[in-house]
Amino acid sequence: MSHPDRFCLAGVMGWPVMHSRSPRLHNYWFGKYGLMGSYVPLAIKADGLRAALRALPALGFAGCNLTIPHKETAFEIVDEVDETARRIGATNCIVVRPDGSLLARNYDGWGWAESIIAAAPDWRADAGPIAVMGAGGGARAIVVTLAERGAKEIRLVNRTFERAKRLESEIGAPVRAVAWTERAAALDGAAMLVNTTSQGMVGQPALDLALDKLPRTALVSDLIYIPKATPLLAAARARGNPTVNGLGMLLNQARPAFRDWFGVLPEVTAELCAMIEATL
Ligand code: NAP
């Protein structure tokens, strides 16, 4: 599909921002779908966010992604926040509407679920108890998505118990906060384990979690994608559990944003995965 009358513009606002893979991703899709356009890194400090966001319509931007440190503060600037973003408490995607108003959305959880379904097409959130390690920003997107998709029991385990408790009271059933000391027991009978902590990331120690109680059929997901296989994923795979890393989440969250901005829902192909993996 082509829009000869339109030059498609979007970008990612953050500070720092130059490490972002989003420009490569979206610019690949412009080429693949025959659209004239550009997706650019926008280095915006916290105190510049309001002016930068408000400039988007005048500059002809269809919208932008947001990364650190703007994902929560943008709520005070935009005109509307969608229900999912409000529940997650953060936005990663701004859409400029035809009247120039700004809509904040969050596609992190959708992208994560799509990456799971791509790896395990029969996966369902309500198939059994789900143990989630961590209660930070990433966990919020996962827990809201699991609840929206009908999860019956989410055992939310976090080093700082109060943070898990807060999420439990915000989301309600099916979330149950579990103490960090009980993390190994929380895997008993689980259909899925999701690591949303920073443990296992390059430069960080491995997540300290014994897998003995985890059924070997349980799907193990780690939001981390550098390294491709965290010590958790390597240990899970060695005992026979199916595993999914965080790259698919990164790639898939971009798809509905591209659709909102340019009217095409792009695909995550093996070629695209390889191209982004080569930059990690
Ligand atoms: P965050 O908001 O800072 O949360 C960090 C989480 O890690 C908290 O639950 C924290 O527990 C826990 N944690 C930190 N150090 C720990 C330790 N030594 N032992 C146990 N738990 C520890 O970060 P985030 O934004 O959620 O990101 C978390 C991870 O997810 C990062 O590796 C990030 O790269 C990844 N991520 C990936 C994607 C993707 O697209 N694939 C998207 C989002 C995030 P406390 O509450 O006790 O501090």
Side-chain angles (χ1 to χ4, degrees), residues 68 71 108 133-139 157-161 163 180 195-199 201 204-205 207 222-225 245-251 253:
I68 292 168
K71 292 177 98 167
D108 276 342
M133 301 288 140
V157 190
N158 197 47
R159 177 181 62 174
T160 309
F161 184 63
R163 212 171 174 190
W180 190 242
N195 176 42
T196 76
T197 77
S198 51
Q199 301 298 277
M201 218 170 127
Q204 294 282 333
L207 178 69
D222 200 322
L223 267 50
I224 293 167
Y225 51 88
N245 75 13
L247 183 62
M249 174 178 177
L250 177 77
L251 302 181
Q253 59 77 29

Side-chain angles (χ1 to χ4, degrees), residues 53-156:
L53 283 177
R54 285 294 170 202
L56 289 174
L59 291 169
F61 274 64
C64 69
N65 287 122
L66 294 177
T67 187
I68 292 168
H70 305 313
K71 292 177 98 167
E72 288 98 26
T73 50
F75 276 7
E76 295 145 29
I77 299 167
V78 299
D79 301 292
E80 192 181 335
V81 177
D82 83 10
E83 184 56 27
T84 299
R86 189 171 300 288
R87 292 182 86 202
I88 293 172
T91 168
N92 72 340
C93 173
I94 303 295
V95 180
V96 176
R97 294 186 291 200
D99 64 356
S101 62
L102 303 177
L103 170 65
R105 319 198 72 161
N106 192 316
Y107 288 128
D108 276 342
W110 188 90
W112 173 79
E114 282 291 300
S115 77
I116 299 297
I117 291 164
D122 295 334
W123 174 80
R124 293 176 56 99
D126 61 359
I130 299 171
V132 176
M133 301 288 140
R140 294 186 67 93
I142 303 307
V143 167
V144 166
T145 300
L146 287 172
E148 285 179 351
R149 289 177 184 242
K152 298 211 163 52
E153 184 185 352
I154 302 170
R155 302 168 184 169
L156 184 63

Side-chain angles (χ1 to χ4, degrees), residues 24-47:
R24 284 174 189 265
L25 192 54
H26 289 276
N27 287 321
Y28 168 89
W29 283 330
F30 284 139
K32 185 169 167 72
Y33 294 99
L35 296 170
M36 291 236 309
S38 192
Y39 181 107
V40 290
L42 297 162
I44 306 292
K45 289 184 182 169
D47 61 3

